[in-house]
Amino acid sequence: MTATATAAGTRSKVTDRLRQLPQPVAITALLLIPLAVAQAVSHQPFFAPPLAATAALVAATPAAPAARWSTVVIGHVVSVAAGLVMAVLLGNGTTAALIAAIVAVAVMGGLGRLHAPAVASAAVMGAVGSWHGAAALLAGTVALVIIQQGLVIAQQARTASTVTIQA
């Protein structure tokens, strides 16, 4: 058996198992697995807890305003920025994390783009103040949104191909 055949067989088994899961579970897995692989390879926090919460929210409530791709991106950008600013001004730690979370909620609310999982991004960045971590978290956010949008497009294409015209 060739490596290609083995990989195809493994992919088929994974795909079959994902199809048996409830849709929010399968979508959450599809959103997070690439981030976990990227983290394992790069040793950067692409698969951060705030993104796991984002993936679950997007998968379980895709029509919710907080699940819109723009809200997800704006929420994490605002939150990461709040965390880093507080870490620089106050020194990274609990106080910076607390104030960053409050500032992130206020700014997201003011923008009409409240994405609750992103508040954890503010707290994490305030606590650790890592520029590399911030870059990885934002890259993970963008990757998650791209994957999610790809799933939406695939679902729309599948739906369009099954629509029949009735006379």
Side-chain angles (χ1 to χ4, degrees):
M1 183 177 284
T2 67
T4 304
T6 303
T10 301
R11 250 181 277 134
S12 177
K13 288 178 187 176
V14 170
T15 303
D16 290 343
R17 287 195 178 153
L18 285 173
R19 285 186 183 133
Q20 295 170 0
L21 295 171
Q23 188 171 6
V25 175
I27 291 172
T28 300
L30 288 171
L31 292 171
L32 292 178
I33 289 170
L35 299 181
V37 170
Q39 179 169 321
V41 170
S42 69
H43 305 291
Q44 293 297 320
F46 294 113
F47 177 66
L51 296 182
T54 293
L57 176 108
V58 167
T61 59
R68 291 183 190 135
W69 72 266
S70 57
T71 300
V72 170
V73 171
I74 290 168
H76 283 287
V77 167
V78 164
S79 295
V80 166
L84 288 175
V85 167
M86 290 305 120
V88 167
L89 293 177
L90 304 172
N92 57 308
T94 304
T95 302
L98 171 65
I99 295 171
I102 293 167
V103 167
V105 170
V107 173
M108 285 187 287
L111 293 172
R113 298 294 184 162
L114 185 59
H115 180 68
V119 178
S121 292
V124 168
M125 288 301 106
V128 299
S130 165
W131 293 95
H132 292 292
L137 184 55
L138 292 175
T141 300
V142 170
L144 189 145
V145 165
I146 290 170
I147 295 164
Q148 186 266 340
Q149 289 299 299
L151 292 172
V152 167
I153 291 167
Q155 177 64 35
Q156 290 170 343
R158 220 175 3 260
T159 302
S161 68
T162 60
V163 173
T164 58
I165 300 174
Q166 296 180 359

